[in-house]
Amino acid sequence: MTVLVIGLGGVTNGGKTTLAEKLKKMLPNCDIISQDDFFKPESEVETDERGFKLYDVLDALYMDEMVKSIRNWMICPASTGVVMEEPQSTCDKLKNTEDAYILIVEGFLLYNYEPLNELWDRRYFLTLPYEECKRRRSTRVYQPADTPGYFDGHVWPMYLKYKNEVEENASNIVYLDGTKSQEELLSCVYSDIIQELKLRE
């Protein structure tokens, strides 16, 4: 049985979720875990001196829970989209299959948390220029909503900070230009993953 864990990280509004959903439809036995599902409740997210809620930092997320969910999936990669608390018991039926099972983990802060970095088989990082990122962000509705100045005061600076950390400390990351068409990005990542599967046969 081949099990692949694929990271799809990078800039806010870079197209991570859309790309993950398209890949899921094309790949065998593919599940998605989204980092957005691990945000702490608003009451637990710190506020800075400007009144900005600090969502774009690791402390705003239950990262240990995220690692646990990925590890649970790796123990028993059942293609249900549901991560089980006790995966071993349902796993026996998978043991003798030669199928490939693929987990796509998508989120904006995937490669800055050390316990996650030992789990990736392939890593992708979507980038966008400032103006395009700001334009896309302005069309999205968030809960809680972005306050005036939030993008420039918190979101973009944190993206640059974490991107620099990744560039300095992480290797084997494929950088993707988020301004390219969804078809181009899909084709690039899909063929790369298929190549990885063939290498493991």
Side-chain angles (χ1 to χ4, degrees):
M1 182 173 73
T2 303
V3 174
L4 283 186
V5 179
I6 309 291
L8 208 53
V11 68
T12 178
N13 295 276
K16 300 179 294 294
T17 306
T18 303
L19 183 53
E21 293 290 351
K22 285 176 183 281
L23 286 165
K24 181 175 180 175
K25 289 178 183 159
M26 294 175 67
L27 292 165
N29 304 317
C30 184
D31 287 320
I32 297 172
I33 288 178
S34 175
Q35 191 170 39
D36 285 356
D37 293 338
F38 295 89
F39 271 115
K40 294 176 180 176
E42 189 181 352
S43 59
E44 291 182 37
V45 176
E46 285 188 40
T47 305
D48 73 4
E49 67 280 355
R50 298 163 298 181
F52 291 152
K53 279 278 178 188
L54 304 181
Y55 275 103
D56 288 54
V57 297
L58 287 168
D59 282 348
L61 296 144
Y62 292 119
M63 294 301 293
D64 289 346
E65 290 297 315
M66 187 174 174
V67 172
K68 191 160 78 175
S69 292
I70 296 169
R71 287 192 182 282
N72 281 350
W73 182 93
M74 290 168 76
I75 293 165
C76 182
S79 191
T80 60
V82 177
V83 179
M84 298 155 290
E85 280 303 307
E86 297 297 331
Q88 290 89 340
S89 56
T90 56
C91 223
D92 297 335
K93 64 182 183 293
L94 299 174
K95 286 277 192 279
N96 298 320
T97 67
E98 284 304 308
D99 289 337
Y101 290 86
I102 299 167
L103 179 66
I104 297 173
V105 183
E106 64 93 7
F108 68 112
L109 276 182
L110 297 186
Y111 313 132
N112 305 84
Y113 188 67
E114 202 50 50
L116 272 182
N117 284 334
E118 60 200 52
L119 304 180
W120 309 118
D121 292 298
R122 301 290 290 154
R123 300 197 278 186
Y124 304 92
F125 190 103
L126 281 146
T127 63
L128 281 177
Y130 166 82
E131 289 297 343
E132 176 61 12
C133 185
K134 189 171 185 176
R135 184 192 69 75
R136 291 187 192 182
R137 178 95 180 189
S138 69
T139 66
R140 291 270 292 274
V141 178
Y142 290 92
Q143 282 299 335
D146 282 358
T147 52
Y150 189 68
F151 181 83
D152 288 317
H154 176 61
V155 176
W156 189 254
M158 286 299 103
Y159 162 66
L160 293 179
K161 173 183 183 286
Y162 285 116
K163 180 171 175 274
N164 288 338
E165 275 184 23
V166 168
E167 288 169 344
E168 285 173 19
N169 302 316
S171 57
N172 301 324
I173 292 181
V174 178
Y175 289 89
L176 302 170
D177 179 356
T179 62
K180 289 187 172 170
S181 72
Q182 289 179 1
E183 290 71 28
E184 261 185 290
L185 292 168
L186 180 62
S187 172
C188 169
V189 176
Y190 175 77
S191 56
D192 201 38
I193 293 171
I194 294 300
Q195 188 63 34
E196 183 73 18
L197 287 173
K198 284 178 180 170
L199 290 173
R200 289 160 183 260
E201 278 177 359

